[in-house]
Amino acid sequence: MSNPDSIGRVYLVGAGPGDPDLLTLRAARLLTSARLVVHDGLVEPAILAMAHPHAKLVSVAKRRAHHTMPQEDICALLVREALAGNDVVRLKGGDPLVFGRGGEEAEACRAAGVPVEIVPGISAANAAGAAAQIALTHRDHASVVSFVAGQCKGLSDQDWSGLAGVGRTLVIYMGVKTAPQIADKLMADGLAPDMAVAVIENAARPEMRVLRGLLAGLPDLVEDNRVKSPALIVIGEVTRERDADIAALAVEANK
Ligand code: SAH
């Protein structure tokens, strides 16, 4: 795949929530044939294990508040490799364009004249909805779903008014550490303290946990259960466990 006489291509590939079965076929094909894979920290070892045996794997792992490689350097790396004639598979957790900074990487490539292809992935919200059996837009309970980022930086500046409440589902990425501020912010916006919430940790992975509670109790729910990233917070009526669901699960369990 390396040809110094021509420019390589950058593939921004969504790796989904961590289960290799949830890769798209296109992602799996690119991964198994790529010679250079640049990945971030959210990508599971089981997925990286699918890479070609001769592939070079480069980690640009990012953890909250600890950037091993600044975003500009990641962009520069992708461009440099492509201009040297190498195709690059840039593997990102979930979907590359949902809180993944894929937009910036695609811009950097386009600005340098490097062709980019974007391969969508299953975002954490979709994975968590399916795995926890929470219908993000259940017809009886919500007709709107919003995705927001809950990390510290800029949280107080973000205007979430109207995104959560009756008839709406709010999915919060990167909100574990800021759960107390998130609960306060939403209640200050007028949300009822007894609005239903769920926290889904490690969605679609074997170690997944689904915790349910009420908005006022969200900080305790996170702290008492020692919830760790990656986890999503979902706010809305759709997360409330209903008698019918519980009955169905009981039937399932007794089979
Ligand atoms: N591009 C990714 C999101 C990157 S931001 C996507 O589309 O899913 C990182 C955040 O995504 C994490 O802090 C967490 O809130 C969420 N996340 C990613 N994978 C997750 C998983 N398996 N379970 C729960 N949340 C997850």
Side-chain angles (χ1 to χ4, degrees):
M1 276 216 229
S2 173
N3 177 1
D5 296 333
S6 64
I7 292 183
R9 181 177 283 264
V10 171
Y11 298 90
L12 290 181
V13 179
D19 179 349
D21 277 1
L22 295 179
L23 286 170
T24 62
L25 285 177
R26 178 105 186 108
R29 282 186 189 129
L30 285 167
L31 183 58
T32 50
S33 61
R35 293 304 156 104
L36 177 58
V37 177
V38 177
H39 64 91
D40 61 27
L42 271 183
V43 178
E44 284 284 276
I47 290 180
L48 295 177
M50 293 170 63
H52 190 280
H54 297 139
K56 183 175 165 201
L57 301 182
V58 178
S59 169
V60 293
K62 252 182 291 185
R63 292 259 176 261
R64 202 177 150 275
H66 177 75
H67 291 232
T68 49
M69 193 184 277
Q71 188 60 45
E72 314 84 77
D73 294 1
I74 299 174
C75 292
L77 170 71
L78 302 179
V79 166
R80 194 170 60 241
E81 288 291 346
L83 291 179
N86 299 315
D87 285 340
V88 187
V89 166
R90 170 70 175 113
L91 204 54
K92 300 170 84 72
D95 181 86
L97 302 182
V98 177
F99 303 124
R101 304 192 73 173
E104 290 157 67
E105 294 175 16
E107 274 163 20
C109 291
R110 285 194 297 264
V114 168
V116 193
E117 179 184 322
I118 302 180
V119 180
I122 296 181
S123 193
N126 300 108
Q133 303 203 1
I134 294 170
L136 298 178
T137 59
H138 190 296
R139 201 168 190 275
D140 295 340
H141 308 295
S143 57
V144 175
V145 59
S146 307
F147 298 171
V148 295
Q151 81 271 55
C152 301
K153 213 171 121 214
L155 182 61
S156 50
D157 299 335
Q158 291 189 47
D159 182 5
W160 291 358
S161 51
L163 298 184
V166 175
R168 288 151 219 206
T169 303
L170 182 64
V171 181
I172 303 164
Y173 287 67
M174 298 173 279
V176 171
K177 288 271 168 1
T178 46
Q181 293 94 304
I182 287 171
D184 287 348
K185 181 180 175 73
L186 290 170
M187 288 188 287
D189 282 346
L191 219 62
D194 65 351
M195 172 56 81
V197 303
V199 176
I200 303 107
E201 181 188 65
N202 284 309
R205 299 177 181 184
E207 63 275 32
M208 176 172 86
R209 287 195 296 167
V210 181
L211 309 165
R212 294 173 198 258
L214 302 178
L215 180 57
L218 176 64
D220 287 344
L221 189 68
V222 167
E223 193 180 327
D224 295 350
N225 292 288
R226 297 179 205 284
V227 175
K228 299 241 161 30
S229 181
L232 283 185
I233 299 171
V234 183
I235 316 268
E237 203 46 47
V238 297
T239 66
R240 205 181 293 277
E241 213 152 21
R242 272 156 238 289
D243 295 348
D245 300 343
I246 295 164
L249 287 174
V251 169
E252 195 64 30
N254 288 332
K255 268 187 190 163

